[in-house]
Amino acid sequence: MRPSTVSLTRLLLLSSAFIPIGSGYARAATPVHKTPHITARKHIPPARNAKIVSKARVKQKTVTPQEPATYLSSTSEQFEVRSHNVPHGAVVTIGQKLLSQAPAGTNPLKTLAQLPGIMFQTAQPQGIDVWSNQVFMHGFQQQEIGMTLDGMPLGEQTVRNYNGLNTIQAISSENVARIVVSESAGAESVAATNNLGGSFSYISRDPAHKFGGTVTQGFGSYANFHTFARVDSGDLNSTGTRFYASYMRQDGQIWKGTGDQFMQQVNAKFVQPVGESSSISAFFDWADLHQFSTPDVSPEMLSNVGYKTTNYYNGKQSGLQAAINAANGIFPPGFNKLKDPEDSAYYDAVLNTDDTFGGIKSHMQLTDKLTWDTTAYGHGETNQTTWTTPYYSSPNGSPLSELVKEPSIRRFGILSQLHYNIAHNDISGGVWYENNHYQSNMFAYEMPNIVDGQLTSAIPNPLGHWSNPFAKIYNQTYNTNTFTAFVQDTYRILPNLALHFGFKSVLATTRVGNGFINDDYYGAGSNIASGVGLTTSKPFLPHISADWHFLKHHELYFDISENVHTYAQSGYKLSNSPFAISQTAFDAGRNSFKPETDWTYALGYRYNSRFVGASVYAYRTNFNNRLQQITSGSAVNPVSTVSNVGGVTMNGVDAAITIMPIRNLSFTNSISYDHATYDNNLTEAGTSYGTKGKQIVNYPRFMYKTRLSYEWRGVTAYVDANYIGKRNYSYTGDVKIPGYWLSNLGVQYNFGKLEAFRNSVSAVKDLTLSFSITNLQNNRYISTMGENGNPLSTGQGALAYQSMLVGAPRMFFGSLSANF
């Protein structure tokens, strides 16, 4: 429902070997020693940061005394972090080879969920269901994690993203070169004002130097088809001018009920080298998404009706008749056991989104020590998010109407940074400015009626464009100007010891106007926040870290940083935005609204050798002025306020170990423990609720992950299993969702490894056949939680509040991919 509105096992070891501490730059691992399993790297010229590459093999070269020591991971055959000196900050990097081992079209964030401390929830195993996608990192949800693509901000990863777009709508997974994850604390340079819990930085693939292309065809359960085609121009002239263009099409049926999940996308990238070390590049993205969503459920529904409750839509008149019957009090079997059967299933729930996004980047090597990077970008989005309500009738007499939220985004921005190397210092500084115009509104459209068994009009296509509304429900217009600046320096005291210091300044102002609310829908006397504004001003957000490599395979580091989250924005009653409430509630809470801030302290140790890799990563976060959406009553038209719930204290630890007893065999195990509790009791409408000391909602205290993988010639096989511990559904913790296990299996074979194939099909470089099974044990479990907000307690209707999604059953996927 909607409110009113490698092997990846080795990647796990890499995550333990390179636990991020927030600078956004690669941290070197253990120094290279003369051991048979590590090859030295050729000298890398001085650069502002560590260079990250995704190569399984490198040429051997002896390190000469004149060359600085090189540092790299000795535990991953697919990823390396290397530098001519120990850089500041650690990163976890996942590359295209690892991404391609998942089912074709899989959201890269789902692959990241194998890392300790990261939880990705979705009701669709590829992670392409935008409504159900939810990612957490060390207790922080996606709204509190910075997201960028080639440095360009993607904003908050919500369903109706007000200042960006979802990552899967920004770039096709096949065009992602790598993702750099900075945990616990975000880098100063990241273009984000919500990175309380770190950042995910997507890097797009460059066009190839040789003419070629890639074609992938995937298939799977529930009519799943994924098609991807890309053409690389190769170098068009002696300067290296080149580009690529790609098209992606994803189609399939939702696994519960009836409805299509469709998306198509075009990506293009252009690179023009300038001289030996400079370049100008451009990236373009167009995404067209149309998806039915699986229905939200409540604890009461699971107990009395079961896990298979669906919406009424089936593409036929009978589905519409069932929805009309329910609106008139005639419900399916078992619904009489529910507290609010009318609010327990609907006709449909659909997302329709169109995005155009892109930017131009200039990278200029001004001297051998000074570089200047500048990016100008723009983004436009139109959105129609719909659900059919039985609480607002149509003018033609139908007891149903289609409520359609129609937000739109128009934003433009520029980023500019200078990087300078002198002596043992790596200095950089830069600015980011963005103007974002966000329109948030909702309309009501007429639904057909059925009279004497006959339709009064044709059944509309929920995935089509809705036009000619009969009522406007609400409206707000947001205008936000954001400015950030940063300065940072890494001082290399010794080749194996680095100190880092930097700070970030944030100034963001949001004004809200054109407020309108429909009294007929919300009731007489209702109002909406309008003609108001809030400013976030934080001139000094420090970041300090240090990294020390000692002995042969050991490393110690620490990291301390402060971050801020500017005020969120959304449709009326749809989030924890202080603007998405009534004018009365805004005026009452205005003095208590403060930007969310946090201090994060991290300390870690790593051991990295040929046969074993291990790590321990401990952190403490003091989260202040947490703004939370508090809901009670029906999720259709809830009593919704935004409150400053005070502080949250998180104390956590990740531990991981990978054993590699023989070549190409890896066995990884990791555990994550996060004691994240509210510091205060919550008072709402004059009633105090015992939230102090209770675990935060939607995130488990304990997670366990394991993976076994093996590679032999052209075959790659893996089996993994994750345990997600119990989670609090209500703020007081009196309603909990039990923990669950989820396991997956996959195998790939690359025919390009066969000499006979290479000799007979010379035009095809690689031909890879893949097969995988998700939810191997076919377990029933709850995936996403809190998509409609979280209830306070059982006394406030928590058992009947629909804000959970059932996870997908066992599903099968396969694909065939060819590189030319």
Side-chain angles (χ1 to χ4, degrees), residues 79 186 218 302 313 360 706 811:
F79 299 93
L302 297 177
Y313 176 84
I360 299 175
T706 183
M811 294 176 68

Side-chain angles (χ1 to χ4, degrees), residues 24 66 249 346 374 377 391 397 403 485 499 556 569 595 654 810:
Q66 290 77 24
R249 185 181 188 274
Y346 299 97
T374 299
Y377 65 90
Y391 299 98
L403 294 183
L499 297 177
L556 282 173
Q569 302 162 35
D654 294 333
R810 181 191 298 125

